[in-house]
Amino acid sequence: MIIKLENKHRDIAQKILKVQIPSYRVEADIIGYYDIPPLKDTVEHIEKCQETFYGYIIEEELCGVISFKVNKGVVDIHRLIVHPNHFRKGIAQHLLDHILGSKDYVAMKVSTGSKNTPAVQFYYKNGFQKIEEIVVDESLSISCFEKQLNKI
């Protein structure tokens, strides 16, 4: 089941963080870079951020989260995370599909570590195109993706 999450509530922000940290630890292991900002997030940061959050619930447990901001019909995905205990259950796909089907957006954009092969393949599979690669330093590059929706 997918529900809107009120990240302003401390208990919800704590649950989001309990999915986020293990999820991004896996990404850090994959890309070999452990200084990624989501690993440093706090409950207070999640409470204060201006993203819209949806969560995937299984038996009252928050298993996955998508968060985003919308500007002029473009959805900017900030987090698409699944707790490692729930990998390979289609949760990320369900969350992405939920956002794709919820409103008339013109495009979506997202970024991930360039070496995060599972995420890169997921976005390609879902019709995203790589539009840019940003080299942060010699150990980290970020791939930026966009998908035109042409719904409006």
Side-chain angles (χ1 to χ4, degrees):
M1 170 175 56
I2 296 175
I3 62 168
K4 188 164 194 242
L5 300 173
E6 298 300 331
N7 61 298
K8 308 289 186 239
H9 297 159
R10 187 165 194 79
D11 61 323
I12 300 298
Q14 288 172 331
K15 288 178 182 179
I16 291 168
L17 200 59
K18 284 182 181 177
V19 173
Q20 178 171 307
I21 297 300
S23 178
Y24 279 106
R25 278 191 190 129
V26 171
E27 179 172 11
D29 287 342
I30 291 170
I31 67 175
Y33 190 87
Y34 296 90
D35 199 28
I36 55 179
L39 286 174
K40 299 175 185 178
D41 267 352
T42 63
V43 170
E44 291 77 19
H45 178 263
I46 291 173
E47 286 176 310
K48 292 177 183 173
C49 80
Q50 299 300 311
E51 299 160 32
T52 300
F53 285 81
Y54 283 89
Y56 192 95
I57 310 293
I58 299 175
E59 296 178 7
E60 298 184 24
E61 177 189 356
L62 182 61
C63 303
V65 175
I66 190 168
S67 74
F68 58 93
K69 291 182 180 179
V70 179
N71 183 19
K72 297 180 182 177
V74 177
V75 177
D76 185 359
I77 299 172
H78 288 243
R79 306 161 214 264
L80 180 50
I81 52 178
V82 176
H83 192 283
N85 292 345
H86 297 282
F87 281 1
R88 311 212 38 89
K89 295 181 181 178
I91 293 171
Q93 187 67 59
H94 286 298
L95 287 164
L96 182 63
D97 289 346
H98 182 77
I99 302 309
L100 281 169
S102 64
K103 293 194 178 170
D104 290 329
Y105 301 124
V106 294
M108 296 185 105
K109 61 183 185 175
V110 66
S111 60
T112 190
S114 299
K115 294 179 186 174
N116 187 348
T117 304
V120 169
Q121 290 175 344
F122 174 81
Y123 293 121
Y124 280 136
K125 179 184 92 169
N126 279 282
F128 286 78
Q129 295 182 338
K130 186 173 170 182
I131 57 168
E132 183 179 16
E133 186 161 336
I134 301 166
V135 177
V136 177
D137 63 32
E138 72 253 2
S139 302
L140 178 66
S141 64
I142 304 293
S143 292
C144 304
F145 296 88
E146 189 171 82
K147 178 177 181 164
Q148 296 298 319
L149 301 174
N150 302 321
K151 288 185 172 181
I152 292 181

